[in-house]
Amino acid sequence: MPAAAPSGTEELVAQELKLDEFASESNAIVVCAFRPSQWDAPTLEHVACVHPHEMGIRAERPAFRMYSTGADIWSVDGVIDSECADAFNAAARAAIKRSPRVKMRFDALDIIDAAGMHALVDAARHLPDRRIVVEGANETVRLCWELAGYATAGIPVVMSA
C-alpha cells in the first residue's frame, strides 16, 4: 500500500508493472491496495489499468488492462480510446523504460483508436533505440494501423501478423 507516488503517476505505474512482472515470473500473488481518499482519480485510473484484476467497493473496470505474461511481454485487453490514451501511454512508457524491446500481445484488445495508436508510438519514441513489437492484433486493428500510416520503417512499433 504505497503512501504516495514515488515521483509521479508514471513512476508509480512503472513500480506496479515491475510488481506484476515479478508475480507473473515467480507465480506469486501480489495484492495492491489503494485508498481512493489518498489518491486523485486520474492516478487511480492509471494504476487500475496495469492490474489484471480489481476488487472493492469502488472498483470499476478500466477500459483496458495491461499486465505481464512473461519477461518483457505484456498482454493488453479491452479498448484503448481517447479517454484512456494517457493511461495507456504511461503504461507503455513504463514498460519500455525497463527493456529496449517489449512485446505486447493484443489478442484480447477489441479496438485501439487514433489517440491510442498515437499514445503507443509516442511511448516508443520517448526513449531512443526502443522497440515495441505488437503480436496477436485482430484484422481491424492491423488495418487501422496501416491506414493511419504507422506501418513504416521509421516507426519504433511493429505490428506483426
Side-chain angles (χ1 to χ4, degrees), residues 98-157:
R98 303 192 61 232
S99 176
R101 186 173 186 275
V102 169
K103 189 181 296 185
M104 289 189 181
R105 298 288 315 175
F106 277 16
D107 303 282
L109 185 72
D110 297 320
I111 193 78
I112 181 169
D113 74 1
M117 288 186 272
H118 178 76
L120 180 60
V121 171
D122 179 69
R125 287 181 170 158
H126 184 67
L127 294 170
D129 302 322
R130 303 296 167 136
R131 186 174 200 85
I132 297 174
V133 177
V134 175
E135 296 179 346
N138 65 42
E139 191 171 327
T140 302
V141 170
R142 288 193 315 270
L143 180 61
C144 289
W145 185 260
E146 289 176 24
L147 291 173
Y150 288 121
T152 65
I155 302 294
V157 178

Side-chain angles (χ1 to χ4, degrees), residues 4 26 34 43 51 62 79 88 98 108-109 115 135 137-138 141 147 156 158:
S26 65
F34 293 87
T43 298
H51 287 87
V79 173
F88 180 62
R98 303 192 61 232
L109 185 72
E135 296 179 346
N138 65 42
V141 170
L147 291 173
V158 175

